[in-house]
Amino acid sequence: MKKDIHPKYRDVVFYDTSSEFKFLTKSTIETSETIEWTDGKTYPVYKIEVSSESHPFYTGKKMLLDTAGRVEKFNKRYAKK
């Protein structure tokens, strides 16, 4: 196997910004931000908009996540004139 061609596989905290939910898992994602976890260690953090804690399918709640203005663009484009 060739050396130094694989990305670094490490512990990363994923942070759901819509529900303030955080979970620690392994990933190869690159990020420059860090956060201190409950065990006192510092881990890289990656911010996400939707996770199982905030997705309507898993929560059973009908909530509208419009962080990028997609709904307005859709309504503007397909509005009846």
Side-chain angles (χ1 to χ4, degrees), residues 6 16 23 26 28 31 33-34 38 42 44 55 61 68-69 71-72 75 78-80:
H6 299 287
D16 182 351
F23 58 96
K26 293 204 176 259
T28 59
T31 180
E33 297 180 53
T34 59
T38 56
T42 302
H55 194 280
K61 299 176 185 174
V71 173
E72 286 83 10
N75 288 336
Y78 296 106
K80 292 185 180 184

Side-chain angles (χ1 to χ4, degrees), residues 41-65:
K41 295 181 183 176
T42 302
Y43 296 101
V45 64
Y46 185 75
K47 294 179 181 175
I48 55 178
E49 296 177 0
V50 179
S51 71
S52 60
E53 287 292 315
S54 61
H55 194 280
F57 180 80
Y58 297 106
T59 61
K61 299 176 185 174
K62 290 188 177 184
M63 59 187 261
L64 182 62
L65 297 176

Side-chain angles (χ1 to χ4, degrees), residues 70-81:
R70 295 182 204 128
V71 173
E72 286 83 10
K73 287 180 185 177
F74 178 84
N75 288 336
K76 186 176 177 182
R77 183 179 298 160
Y78 296 106
K80 292 185 180 184
K81 298 181 181 196

Side-chain angles (χ1 to χ4, degrees), residues 14-30:
F14 284 84
Y15 173 50
D16 182 351
T17 57
S18 61
S19 66
E20 303 291 320
F21 179 67
K22 299 172 190 152
F23 58 96
L24 179 66
T25 188
K26 293 204 176 259
S27 177
T28 59
I29 196 160
E30 292 294 326

